[in-house]
Amino acid sequence: MQKIKNILKMILYFILGFLVFSGIVALVEFIFLNILSDMVPNYIDLFVRDVPKSLKVYCIVSLVVFVLNVLYNLISIKILNDKLNRVKREGDRYEK
């Protein structure tokens, strides 16, 4: 049950992150189009048009972040386990 809950939480974070990412990308494009051209673009149209491109980029970025997070956790666990084993070995000498 806990694994299903964690998976659903990750999916929710992915969807919310994608919506925020797409919104920011569309907002930047909207601002640049207003500054650099005379036309007045529609923000919703830009958002809908950029969804496929944003999805590809967001999937790649989120996958890289996920892999880096997993690697960081594995390295941290290894370092902490080494320290724990060292403390256990040294603790045997000082215990009464």
Side-chain angles (χ1 to χ4, degrees), residues 78-88:
K78 183 179 181 314
I79 290 170
L80 289 172
N81 280 336
D82 291 342
K83 286 182 182 180
L84 178 64
N85 289 333
R86 195 171 37 232
V87 167
K88 281 182 181 179

Side-chain angles (χ1 to χ4, degrees), residues 36-49:
L36 299 176
S37 69
D38 292 333
M39 65 181 253
V40 179
N42 186 358
Y43 179 75
I44 302 299
D45 290 339
L46 288 175
F47 182 80
V48 171
R49 190 188 70 204

